[in-house]
Amino acid sequence: MEYEIKNQFLNVKINSRGAELTSVKSVNSDTEFLWQADPEVWNRHAPILFPIVGRLKNDTYQYQGKSYQLSQHGFARDKEFKLLSQESDAISLVLRDDEASLKEYPFHFELVITYRLLNNLLIENLSVKNPANEEMFFSIGCHPGFNVPVNNQIKKSNYYLQMLPSKDHIRIPLNKETGLHDGAKRTIAATDTPIELTDDLFKHDALIFQLKGETKVSLRSEKTSYHVNVTTEDSPFIGVWSQYPKTADYVCIEPWWGLCDDVNADGDISKKRGIIKLGPNEEWTGKITIALHD
């Protein structure tokens, strides 16, 4: 089922499958900010990553002596969410554990995704509740893909990414063949200067940066007023990605509360880098803010 929220600036559509954004348009110009899921390139728009971010080593993890299998980014993006509440400019959707999820993820949970509009801002709130009497372990992330409009005067390479505050960040290398990261080979990346959107920027898969505190990542060009700002208040990591070698005019800016497995991971989910531990009857919350300009 598809839902819609809007205000005087933005018209937003959300699919109940995965609680996924499918369209974010300017009311005034009808400009589409969100990638439109071309199946020949990348067939998603803005999936929610839960209960893991990225890939597990051998797609397997262990918990309390048992092995479980989870595919990349977890199952939430392919699950049907239920409507929790809706107003003209806001909506909340919920996913709870069921018999199928417990076979691959042995934790009870309540995942709520809320989208809210405030002028030209799209605010996304994430909530994970642990209704059980034992602790749970999870990661979560946002994966919105944004269009990079090009025409005869503007090329994709005219766009760039800028991180604010302007400072260097630790970059965590990702192995394209395995989908795992190698923390021992992390480097300092010069993110105090703009990152040009060249076609081979993602030749080695996503760029992953470790964050400290509130961070804004801007997608912009000096040749157009069109730009997108993604602000995360507390996510410890952010990924930037676009499909390669099937390049297209979009880029994903992805705040993450978690990481794929390290190449040396032992599979114990309780020791996984970036994992969130949530105690009995506790709630975790996260938030990103997307500013859209055309």
Side-chain angles (χ1 to χ4, degrees):
M1 179 177 290
E2 189 171 69
Y3 299 99
E4 183 177 27
I5 58 173
K6 66 184 302 184
N7 64 4
Q8 68 270 39
F9 296 96
L10 297 170
N11 190 338
V12 176
K13 294 181 180 179
I14 307 101
N15 198 318
S16 58
R17 181 179 173 87
E20 183 176 6
L21 295 167
T22 58
S23 178
V24 180
K25 280 189 175 183
S26 165
V27 170
N28 294 326
S29 68
D30 206 39
T31 297
E32 176 63 76
F33 292 95
L34 203 65
W35 170 248
Q36 288 303 289
D38 183 348
E40 296 298 318
V41 183
W42 182 52
N43 65 347
R44 298 183 188 268
H45 306 265
I48 301 297
L49 317 182
F50 178 88
I52 58 170
V53 169
R55 187 173 293 282
L56 298 170
K57 192 174 183 179
N58 300 318
D59 292 330
T60 303
Y61 70 95
Q62 287 81 45
Y63 177 67
Q64 293 186 343
K66 294 183 179 180
S67 291
Y68 299 88
Q69 298 246 294
L70 271 177
S71 59
Q72 185 179 29
H73 294 323
F75 51 70
R77 59 184 181 169
D78 295 316
K79 292 281 192 179
E80 191 71 19
F81 282 63
K82 294 182 179 180
L83 180 64
L84 199 60
S85 64
Q86 184 176 11
E87 301 173 25
S88 61
D89 59 355
I91 189 170
S92 293
L93 298 162
V94 61
L95 178 70
R96 297 182 177 91
D97 61 275
D98 57 22
E99 186 177 346
S101 71
L102 289 169
K103 291 179 180 178
E104 52 187 346
Y105 181 67
F107 301 100
H108 297 285
F109 67 86
E110 180 180 276
L111 169 62
V112 177
I113 307 298
T114 299
Y115 299 104
R116 180 168 59 89
L117 298 175
L118 179 63
N119 298 325
N120 68 321
L121 302 179
L122 172 57
I123 301 167
E124 183 172 350
N125 290 95
L126 307 96
S127 165
V128 179
K129 295 180 181 178
N130 176 9
N133 292 321
E134 57 184 39
E135 63 187 9
M136 66 176 287
F137 299 90
F138 72 95
S139 295
I140 192 168
C142 306
H143 198 312
F146 301 104
N147 286 326
V148 181
V150 298
N151 55 39
N152 291 334
Q153 286 76 40
I154 304 173
K155 301 177 181 178
K156 185 176 180 179
S157 59
N158 292 138
Y159 287 86
Y160 59 88
L161 296 165
Q162 187 170 38
M163 297 182 71
L164 296 172
S166 181
K167 61 182 179 181
D168 294 338
H169 290 84
I170 293 174
R171 181 179 169 188
I172 302 171
L174 190 63
N175 184 297
K176 188 174 181 65
E177 282 68 41
T178 65
L180 308 179
H181 78 267
D182 190 345
K185 295 182 179 179
R186 60 189 183 276
T187 58
I188 299 295
T191 50
D192 57 338
T193 58
I195 302 170
E196 185 179 316
L197 281 188
T198 60
D199 277 340
D200 63 352
L201 180 62
F202 305 105
K203 185 176 182 179
H204 301 293
D205 215 319
L207 308 182
I208 305 173
F209 303 104
Q210 186 172 326
L211 306 180
K212 287 186 177 180
E214 182 173 307
T215 303
K216 178 171 72 175
V217 180
S218 295
L219 168 65
R220 58 176 63 236
S221 169
E222 303 302 336
K223 296 180 177 292
T224 175
S225 60
Y226 175 98
H227 64 282
V228 176
N229 301 328
V230 178
T231 300
T232 171
E233 296 180 358
D234 61 356
S235 73
F237 309 100
I238 199 161
V240 182
W241 175 83
S242 188
Q243 186 69 269
Y244 183 90
K246 287 187 177 181
T247 59
D249 295 330
Y250 77 94
V251 64
C252 297
I253 302 173
E254 312 171 35
W256 294 343
W257 291 263
L259 274 179
C260 59
D261 267 354
D262 187 274
V263 292
N264 297 312
D266 65 5
D268 185 344
I269 194 172
S270 68
K271 299 177 182 177
K272 179 177 170 62
R273 184 179 180 190
I275 201 74
I276 299 171
K277 181 173 74 172
L278 196 59
N281 302 303
E282 288 185 348
E283 179 182 6
W284 172 93
T285 59
K287 174 185 174 183
I288 71 168
T289 301
I290 304 171
L292 304 133
H293 306 265
D294 64 340

